[in-house]
Coordinates of all heavy atoms in Angstrom, one line a residue:
D110 N -12.9 -11.3 11.6 CA -11.9 -10.3 11.2 C -11.0 -9.9 12.4 O -11.4 -9.7 13.5 CB -12.6 -9.0 10.7 CG -13.2 -9.1 9.3 OD1 -12.7 -10.0 8.6 OD2 -14.2 -8.4 9.0
V111 N -9.7 -9.9 12.1 CA -8.7 -9.5 13.1 C -8.3 -8.1 12.8 O -8.0 -7.7 11.7 CB -7.5 -10.4 13.0 CG1 -6.4 -10.0 14.0 CG2 -7.9 -11.8 13.3
G112 N -8.4 -7.2 13.9 CA -8.0 -5.8 13.7 C -6.5 -5.6 13.9 O -5.8 -6.5 14.4
A113 N -6.0 -4.5 13.5 CA -4.6 -4.2 13.6 C -4.1 -4.2 15.1 O -3.0 -4.4 15.3 CB -4.3 -2.8 13.0
G114 N -5.0 -4.0 16.0 CA -4.6 -3.9 17.4 C -4.7 -5.3 18.2 O -4.4 -5.3 19.3
D115 N -5.0 -6.3 17.4 CA -5.1 -7.7 18.1 C -3.9 -8.5 17.9 O -3.9 -9.5 17.3 CB -6.3 -8.4 17.4 CG -7.6 -7.7 17.6 OD1 -7.8 -7.1 18.7 OD2 -8.5 -7.8 16.7
G116 N -2.8 -8.1 18.5 CA -1.5 -8.8 18.5 C -0.7 -8.6 17.3 O -0.8 -7.6 16.6
F117 N 0.3 -9.5 17.0 CA 1.2 -9.3 15.9 C 0.6 -9.8 14.6 O -0.1 -10.8 14.6 CB 2.5 -10.1 16.2 CG 3.4 -9.4 17.2 CD1 3.3 -9.7 18.5 CD2 4.2 -8.4 16.8 CE1 4.1 -9.1 19.5 CE2 5.1 -7.8 17.7 CZ 5.0 -8.1 19.0
H118 N 0.9 -9.2 13.5 CA 0.4 -9.5 12.2 C 1.5 -9.4 11.2 O 2.5 -8.6 11.4 CB -0.8 -8.7 11.8 CG -1.9 -8.8 12.7 ND1 -2.8 -9.9 12.7 CD2 -2.4 -8.0 13.7 CE1 -3.7 -9.7 13.7 NE2 -3.4 -8.6 14.3
T119 N 1.3 -10.0 10.0 CA 2.2 -9.8 8.9 C 1.5 -9.0 7.8 O 0.4 -9.4 7.4 CB 2.6 -11.2 8.3 OG1 3.2 -12.0 9.3 CG2 3.5 -11.1 7.1
Y120 N 2.1 -7.9 7.5 CA 1.6 -7.0 6.5 C 2.5 -7.0 5.3 O 3.7 -7.0 5.4 CB 1.5 -5.5 7.0 CG 0.6 -5.4 8.2 CD1 1.1 -5.5 9.5 CD2 -0.8 -5.1 8.0 CE1 0.2 -5.3 10.6 CE2 -1.6 -5.0 9.1 CZ -1.1 -5.1 10.3 OH -2.0 -5.0 11.4
S121 N 1.9 -7.1 4.1 CA 2.7 -7.2 2.9 C 2.0 -6.5 1.7 O 0.8 -6.3 1.7 CB 3.1 -8.7 2.5 OG 1.9 -9.4 2.4
V122 N 2.9 -6.2 0.7 CA 2.3 -5.6 -0.5 C 3.1 -6.2 -1.7 O 4.3 -6.3 -1.6 CB 2.5 -4.0 -0.5 CG1 3.9 -3.6 -0.3 CG2 1.8 -3.4 -1.7
A123 N 2.4 -6.5 -2.7 CA 3.0 -7.0 -3.9 C 2.8 -6.0 -5.0 O 1.7 -5.5 -5.2 CB 2.3 -8.3 -4.3
K124 N 3.9 -5.6 -5.6 CA 3.9 -4.7 -6.7 C 3.7 -5.5 -8.0 O 4.5 -6.3 -8.3 CB 5.2 -3.9 -6.7 CG 5.3 -2.8 -7.7 CD 6.6 -2.1 -7.5 CE 6.8 -1.0 -8.6 NZ 8.1 -0.3 -8.5
T125 N 2.7 -5.1 -8.8 CA 2.4 -5.8 -10.1 C 2.5 -4.8 -11.2 O 2.6 -3.6 -10.9 CB 1.0 -6.4 -10.1 OG1 0.1 -5.4 -10.2 CG2 0.8 -7.3 -8.8
P126 N 2.5 -5.2 -12.4 CA 2.6 -4.3 -13.6 C 1.4 -3.3 -13.6 O 1.4 -2.3 -14.2 CB 2.6 -5.2 -14.8 CG 3.1 -6.5 -14.3 CD 2.6 -6.6 -12.9
H127 N 0.3 -3.7 -12.9 CA -0.9 -2.9 -12.9 C -1.2 -2.1 -11.6 O -2.2 -1.3 -11.6 CB -2.1 -3.8 -13.2 CG -2.0 -4.5 -14.5 ND1 -2.0 -4.0 -15.7 CD2 -1.7 -5.8 -14.7 CE1 -1.8 -4.9 -16.6 NE2 -1.6 -6.0 -16.0
G128 N -0.5 -2.4 -10.6 CA -0.7 -1.7 -9.3 C -0.2 -2.5 -8.1 O 0.9 -3.1 -8.2
Y129 N -0.9 -2.4 -7.0 CA -0.4 -3.0 -5.8 C -1.5 -3.9 -5.2 O -2.7 -3.6 -5.2 CB 0.0 -1.9 -4.7 CG 1.0 -0.9 -5.3 CD1 0.5 0.3 -5.8 CD2 2.3 -1.2 -5.3 CE1 1.4 1.2 -6.3 CE2 3.2 -0.3 -5.8 CZ 2.8 0.9 -6.3 OH 3.7 1.8 -6.8
I130 N -1.1 -5.0 -4.6 CA -2.0 -5.9 -3.9 C -1.5 -5.9 -2.4 O -0.4 -6.2 -2.1 CB -2.0 -7.3 -4.4 CG1 -2.3 -7.3 -5.9 CG2 -3.0 -8.2 -3.7 CD1 -2.1 -8.6 -6.7
F131 N -2.4 -5.6 -1.5 CA -2.1 -5.6 0.0 C -2.6 -6.8 0.7 O -3.7 -7.3 0.3 CB -2.7 -4.3 0.6 CG -2.1 -3.0 0.0 CD1 -2.6 -2.5 -1.1 CD2 -1.1 -2.4 0.7 CE1 -2.1 -1.3 -1.6 CE2 -0.5 -1.2 0.2 CZ -1.1 -0.7 -1.0
F132 N -1.9 -7.3 1.6 CA -2.2 -8.5 2.4 C -2.0 -8.2 3.9 O -1.1 -7.5 4.3 CB -1.3 -9.7 2.0 CG -1.4 -10.0 0.6 CD1 -0.6 -9.4 -0.4 CD2 -2.2 -11.0 0.1 CE1 -0.6 -9.8 -1.7 CE2 -2.3 -11.4 -1.2 CZ -1.5 -10.7 -2.1
V133 N -2.9 -8.9 4.7 CA -2.7 -8.9 6.1 C -2.8 -10.4 6.5 O -3.8 -11.1 6.2 CB -3.8 -8.1 6.9 CG1 -3.6 -8.3 8.4 CG2 -3.8 -6.7 6.5
D134 N -1.7 -10.9 7.1 CA -1.6 -12.3 7.5 C -1.8 -13.2 6.3 O -2.5 -14.3 6.5 CB -2.6 -12.6 8.6 CG -2.2 -11.8 9.9 OD1 -1.0 -11.5 10.1 OD2 -3.1 -11.6 10.7
G135 N -1.4 -12.8 5.1 CA -1.5 -13.7 4.0 C -2.8 -13.6 3.2 O -3.0 -14.3 2.2
V136 N -3.7 -12.8 3.7 CA -5.1 -12.7 3.1 C -5.1 -11.4 2.4 O -4.9 -10.3 3.0 CB -6.2 -12.8 4.2 CG1 -7.5 -12.5 3.6 CG2 -6.1 -14.1 4.9
Q137 N -5.5 -11.4 1.1 CA -5.6 -10.2 0.3 C -6.7 -9.3 0.9 O -7.8 -9.7 1.1 CB -5.9 -10.5 -1.1 CG -6.0 -9.3 -2.0 CD -6.3 -9.7 -3.5 OE1 -5.7 -10.6 -4.0 NE2 -7.2 -9.0 -4.1
T138 N -6.3 -8.0 1.2 CA -7.3 -7.1 1.7 C -7.6 -5.9 0.8 O -8.7 -5.3 1.0 CB -6.7 -6.5 3.1 OG1 -5.5 -5.9 2.8 CG2 -6.6 -7.6 4.1
M139 N -6.8 -5.6 -0.1 CA -7.0 -4.5 -1.0 C -6.2 -4.6 -2.3 O -5.1 -5.1 -2.2 CB -6.7 -3.2 -0.3 CG -7.1 -1.9 -1.0 SD -6.9 -0.4 0.0 CE -5.4 0.1 -0.7
V140 N -6.7 -4.1 -3.4 CA -6.0 -3.9 -4.6 C -6.1 -2.5 -5.0 O -7.2 -1.9 -5.0 CB -6.6 -4.8 -5.7 CG1 -5.9 -4.6 -7.1 CG2 -6.6 -6.3 -5.3
A141 N -5.0 -1.9 -5.4 CA -4.9 -0.5 -5.8 C -4.2 -0.4 -7.1 O -3.1 -0.7 -7.2 CB -4.2 0.4 -4.7
S142 N -4.9 0.1 -8.1 CA -4.3 0.4 -9.4 C -3.5 1.7 -9.3 O -3.9 2.6 -8.5 CB -5.3 0.4 -10.5 OG -6.2 1.4 -10.3
H143 N -2.4 1.9 -10.0 CA -1.6 3.1 -9.9 C -1.1 3.4 -11.3 O -0.4 2.5 -11.9 CB -0.5 2.9 -8.9 CG 0.1 4.2 -8.4 ND1 1.0 4.8 -9.2 CD2 -0.1 4.9 -7.3 CE1 1.4 5.9 -8.6 NE2 0.8 6.0 -7.4
P144 N -1.3 4.6 -11.8 CA -0.8 4.9 -13.1 C 0.7 5.0 -13.2 O 1.3 4.9 -14.3 CB -1.4 6.3 -13.4 CG -1.7 6.8 -12.1 CD -2.0 5.7 -11.2
R145 N 1.4 5.2 -12.1 CA 2.9 5.4 -12.1 C 3.5 4.2 -11.3 O 4.1 4.4 -10.3 CB 3.3 6.7 -11.6 CG 2.9 7.9 -12.4 CD 3.7 8.0 -13.7 NE 5.1 7.7 -13.5 CZ 6.1 8.6 -13.5 NH1 5.8 9.9 -13.6 NH2 7.4 8.3 -13.3
I146 N 3.4 3.0 -11.8 CA 4.0 1.8 -11.1 C 5.5 1.9 -11.0 O 6.1 1.2 -10.2 CB 3.4 0.5 -11.7 CG1 3.6 -0.6 -10.8 CG2 4.1 0.2 -13.1 CD1 2.7 -0.6 -9.6
D147 N 6.1 2.7 -11.9 CA 7.6 2.7 -11.9 C 8.2 3.7 -10.8 O 9.4 3.9 -10.6 CB 8.1 3.1 -13.2 CG 7.6 4.5 -13.7 OD1 6.6 5.0 -13.2 OD2 8.2 5.1 -14.6
T148 N 7.3 4.3 -10.0 CA 7.7 5.3 -9.0 C 8.3 4.5 -7.8 O 7.8 3.5 -7.4 CB 6.5 6.0 -8.4 OG1 5.8 6.7 -9.5 CG2 6.9 7.0 -7.4
P149 N 9.5 5.0 -7.3 CA 10.1 4.3 -6.2 C 9.2 4.2 -5.0 O 8.4 5.1 -4.7 CB 11.3 5.1 -5.9 CG 11.6 5.9 -7.1 CD 10.3 6.1 -7.7
L150 N 9.3 3.1 -4.2 CA 8.5 2.9 -3.0 C 9.4 3.2 -1.8 O 10.6 2.9 -1.8 CB 8.0 1.5 -2.9 CG 7.1 1.1 -4.1 CD1 6.6 -0.4 -3.9 CD2 5.9 2.0 -4.2
F151 N 8.7 3.6 -0.7 CA 9.4 3.8 0.6 C 8.6 3.2 1.7 O 7.4 3.2 1.6 CB 9.5 5.3 0.9 CG 10.3 6.1 -0.2 CD1 9.7 6.6 -1.3 CD2 11.7 6.2 0.0 CE1 10.4 7.3 -2.2 CE2 12.4 6.8 -1.0 CZ 11.8 7.4 -2.1
I152 N 9.2 2.6 2.7 CA 8.5 2.0 3.8 C 8.4 3.1 4.9 O 9.3 3.8 5.3 CB 9.3 0.8 4.4 CG1 9.5 -0.2 3.3 CG2 8.7 0.3 5.7 CD1 10.4 -1.4 3.7
I153 N 7.1 3.2 5.4 CA 6.8 4.1 6.5 C 6.1 3.4 7.6 O 5.1 2.7 7.4 CB 5.9 5.3 6.0 CG1 6.6 6.1 4.9 CG2 5.5 6.2 7.2 CD1 5.7 7.1 4.3
F154 N 6.7 3.4 8.8 CA 6.1 2.8 10.0 C 5.3 3.9 10.7 O 5.8 4.9 11.1 CB 7.1 2.2 10.9 CG 7.9 1.1 10.2 CD1 9.2 1.4 9.7 CD2 7.4 -0.2 10.1 CE1 9.9 0.4 9.1 CE2 8.1 -1.2 9.4 CZ 9.4 -0.9 9.0
S155 N 4.0 3.6 10.9 CA 3.1 4.6 11.5 C 2.0 3.9 12.3 O 1.6 2.8 12.0 CB 2.5 5.4 10.4 OG 1.5 6.3 10.9
T156 N 1.5 4.6 13.3 CA 0.4 4.1 14.1 C -1.0 4.6 13.5 O -2.0 4.3 14.0 CB 0.5 4.5 15.6 OG1 0.5 5.9 15.6 CG2 1.7 3.9 16.2
E157 N -0.9 5.4 12.5 CA -2.1 5.9 11.8 C -2.8 4.8 11.1 O -2.2 4.1 10.3 CB -1.7 7.0 10.8 CG -2.9 7.6 10.2 CD -2.5 8.7 9.2 OE1 -1.3 9.1 9.1 OE2 -3.4 9.2 8.5
V158 N -4.1 4.6 11.4 CA -4.9 3.6 10.8 C -6.2 4.2 10.4 O -6.9 4.8 11.1 CB -5.2 2.4 11.8 CG1 -6.1 1.4 11.2 CG2 -3.9 1.8 12.3
H159 N -6.6 3.9 9.1 CA -7.9 4.3 8.6 C -8.9 3.2 8.9 O -8.7 2.1 8.4 CB -7.7 4.6 7.1 CG -9.0 5.0 6.5 ND1 -9.9 4.2 6.0 CD2 -9.5 6.3 6.3 CE1 -11.0 4.8 5.5 NE2 -10.7 6.1 5.7
D160 N -9.9 3.5 9.7 CA -10.9 2.5 10.1 C -11.6 1.9 8.8 O -12.1 2.7 8.0 CB -11.9 3.2 11.0 CG -12.8 2.1 11.7 OD1 -12.3 1.0 12.0 OD2 -14.0 2.4 11.9
G161 N -11.5 0.6 8.7 CA -12.2 -0.1 7.6 C -11.3 -0.1 6.4 O -11.8 -0.5 5.3
G162 N -10.1 0.4 6.5 CA -9.2 0.4 5.3 C -8.5 -1.0 5.2 O -9.0 -2.0 5.6
W163 N -7.3 -1.0 4.6 CA -6.6 -2.2 4.3 C -6.2 -3.0 5.6 O -6.0 -4.2 5.5 CB -5.3 -1.9 3.5 CG -4.4 -1.0 4.2 CD1 -4.3 0.4 4.2 CD2 -3.3 -1.4 5.1 NE1 -3.3 0.8 5.0 CE2 -2.7 -0.3 5.6 CE3 -2.9 -2.7 5.5 CZ2 -1.6 -0.3 6.5 CZ3 -1.8 -2.7 6.4 CH2 -1.2 -1.5 6.9
S164 N -6.1 -2.3 6.7 CA -5.7 -3.0 8.0 C -6.8 -3.5 8.8 O -6.6 -4.0 9.9 CB -4.8 -2.0 8.8 OG -5.6 -0.9 9.2
G165 N -8.1 -3.3 8.3 CA -9.2 -3.8 9.1 C -9.9 -2.7 9.8 O -9.7 -1.5 9.5
Y166 N -10.7 -3.1 10.8 CA -11.5 -2.1 11.6 C -10.9 -1.9 12.9 O -10.4 -2.8 13.6 CB -12.9 -2.6 11.7 CG -13.7 -2.6 10.4 CD1 -13.7 -3.7 9.6 CD2 -14.3 -1.4 9.9 CE1 -14.3 -3.7 8.3 CE2 -14.9 -1.4 8.7 CZ -14.9 -2.5 7.9 OH -15.5 -2.5 6.7
S167 N -11.0 -0.6 13.4 CA -10.5 -0.2 14.7 C -11.6 -0.7 15.8 O -12.8 -0.7 15.5 CB -10.4 1.3 14.8 OG -9.5 1.8 13.9
P168 N -11.1 -1.0 17.0 CA -12.0 -1.4 18.0 C -12.9 -0.3 18.4 O -12.5 0.9 18.3 CB -11.1 -1.9 19.1 CG -9.8 -1.3 18.9 CD -9.7 -1.1 17.4
L169 N -14.1 -0.5 18.9 CA -15.0 0.5 19.4 C -14.2 1.3 20.5 O -13.6 0.7 21.4 CB -16.3 0.0 20.0 CG -17.2 -0.6 19.0 CD1 -18.4 -1.3 19.7 CD2 -17.7 0.4 18.0
G170 N -14.3 2.6 20.5 CA -13.6 3.4 21.4 C -12.1 3.7 21.1 O -11.4 4.4 21.8
G171 N -11.6 3.1 19.9 CA -10.3 3.3 19.5 C -9.3 2.4 20.2 O -9.7 1.5 20.9
Y172 N -8.0 2.7 20.1 CA -7.0 2.0 20.7 C -6.6 2.6 22.0 O -6.6 3.8 22.1 CB -5.7 1.9 19.8 CG -6.0 1.1 18.5 CD1 -6.2 1.7 17.3 CD2 -6.1 -0.3 18.6 CE1 -6.5 1.0 16.2 CE2 -6.4 -1.0 17.4 CZ -6.5 -0.4 16.2 OH -6.8 -1.1 15.1
D173 N -6.1 1.9 23.0 CA -5.8 2.4 24.3 C -4.3 2.9 24.3 O -3.9 3.4 25.3 CB -6.1 1.4 25.4 CG -5.3 0.1 25.3 OD1 -4.7 -0.1 24.2 OD2 -5.4 -0.7 26.2
Q174 N -3.6 2.7 23.3 CA -2.2 3.1 23.2 C -1.8 3.4 21.8 O -2.5 2.9 20.9 CB -1.3 2.1 23.8 CG -1.3 0.7 23.1 CD -0.4 -0.3 23.9 OE1 0.1 0.0 24.9 NE2 -0.3 -1.4 23.3
D175 N -0.8 4.2 21.5 CA -0.4 4.4 20.2 C 1.1 4.0 20.0 O 1.9 4.7 19.6 CB -0.5 5.9 19.9 CG 0.3 6.8 20.8 OD1 0.9 6.3 21.7 OD2 0.4 8.0 20.5
T176 N 1.3 2.7 20.3 CA 2.6 2.1 20.2 C 2.6 1.2 19.0 O 1.7 0.4 18.7 CB 2.9 1.2 21.4 OG1 2.8 2.1 22.6 CG2 4.3 0.7 21.4
L177 N 3.7 1.2 18.3 CA 3.9 0.3 17.1 C 5.2 -0.5 17.4 O 6.3 0.1 17.6 CB 4.1 1.1 15.8 CG 4.4 0.4 14.6 CD1 3.2 -0.5 14.2 CD2 4.7 1.3 13.4
T178 N 5.1 -1.8 17.4 CA 6.2 -2.7 17.6 C 6.5 -3.4 16.4 O 5.6 -4.1 15.8 CB 5.9 -3.7 18.8 OG1 5.6 -3.0 20.0 CG2 7.1 -4.6 19.0
V179 N 7.7 -3.3 15.8 CA 8.1 -4.0 14.6 C 9.1 -5.0 14.9 O 10.2 -4.7 15.5 CB 8.6 -3.0 13.6 CG1 9.1 -3.7 12.3 CG2 7.6 -1.9 13.2
D180 N 8.8 -6.3 14.6 CA 9.7 -7.4 14.9 C 10.8 -7.5 13.9 O 12.0 -7.6 14.2 CB 8.9 -8.7 15.1 CG 9.8 -9.8 15.5 OD1 10.7 -9.6 16.3 OD2 9.6 -11.0 15.0
W181 N 10.4 -7.4 12.6 CA 11.4 -7.5 11.5 C 10.8 -7.0 10.2 O 9.6 -6.9 10.1 CB 11.9 -8.9 11.3 CG 10.9 -10.0 11.1 CD1 10.3 -10.7 12.0 CD2 10.3 -10.4 9.8 NE1 9.3 -11.6 11.4 CE2 9.3 -11.4 10.1 CE3 10.5 -10.0 8.5 CZ2 8.6 -12.0 9.1 CZ3 9.7 -10.6 7.5 CH2 8.8 -11.6 7.8
V182 N 11.7 -6.6 9.3 CA 11.2 -6.1 8.0 C 12.1 -6.8 6.9 O 13.3 -7.0 7.1 CB 11.5 -4.6 7.9 CG1 11.2 -4.1 6.5 CG2 10.7 -3.8 8.9
R183 N 11.4 -7.2 5.9 CA 12.1 -7.9 4.7 C 11.6 -7.2 3.5 O 10.4 -7.1 3.2 CB 11.9 -9.4 4.7 CG 12.6 -10.1 3.6 CD 12.5 -11.6 3.6 NE 11.2 -12.1 4.0 CZ 11.0 -13.4 4.1 NH1 11.9 -14.3 4.0 NH2 9.8 -13.8 4.5
V184 N 12.6 -6.9 2.6 CA 12.2 -6.3 1.3 C 13.0 -7.0 0.2 O 14.2 -7.3 0.4 CB 12.6 -4.8 1.3 CG1 12.3 -4.2 -0.1 CG2 11.9 -4.0 2.4
W185 N 12.4 -7.3 -0.9 CA 13.1 -8.0 -2.0 C 12.4 -7.6 -3.3 O 11.3 -7.2 -3.3 CB 13.2 -9.5 -1.8 CG 11.9 -10.2 -1.9 CD1 11.4 -10.8 -3.0 CD2 11.0 -10.5 -0.9 NE1 10.2 -11.4 -2.7 CE2 10.0 -11.3 -1.4 CE3 11.0 -10.2 0.5 CZ2 8.9 -11.7 -0.7 CZ3 9.9 -10.6 1.2 CH2 8.9 -11.4 0.6
E186 N 13.2 -7.8 -4.4 CA 12.6 -7.5 -5.7 C 12.6 -8.8 -6.5 O 13.4 -9.6 -6.3 CB 13.5 -6.5 -6.4 CG 13.5 -5.1 -5.8 CD 14.2 -4.1 -6.6 OE1 14.0 -4.0 -7.8 OE2 15.1 -3.4 -6.0

């Protein structure tokens, strides 16, 4: 398993008629059903990470910095 703090990664989400599918580096990590799939989506860049959540596990002792570097963003329908 690669954690969020181990270099650069590609994070993506696919919106389906039944909910959302989350991916890290092309590997499906989570599926979330949502009753209001027609709700507009917004992109939020944050260093907040839930340990063991969709982004993987945090290293023991946490991260030594709280920096988020974004190389590029692409959105399409």
Side-chain angles (χ1 to χ4, degrees):
D110 286 332
V111 176
D115 298 328
F117 286 93
H118 299 283
T119 301
Y120 297 92
S121 57
V122 59
K124 183 177 175 181
T125 73
H127 305 288
Y129 306 96
I130 304 171
F131 296 86
F132 300 87
V133 177
D134 296 331
V136 177
Q137 181 178 317
T138 57
M139 190 174 100
V140 176
S142 60
H143 195 280
R145 292 291 316 257
I146 199 69
D147 59 340
T148 303
L150 300 178
F151 300 91
I152 298 173
I153 299 173
F154 298 101
S155 173
T156 59
E157 181 180 352
V158 177
H159 181 269
D160 193 34
W163 62 270
S164 62
Y166 290 94
S167 300
L169 290 175
Y172 295 105
D173 59 353
Q174 59 185 6
D175 60 354
T176 305
L177 176 67
T178 303
V179 178
D180 186 36
W181 54 270
V182 176
R183 178 171 44 182
V184 178
W185 69 93
E186 293 185 49

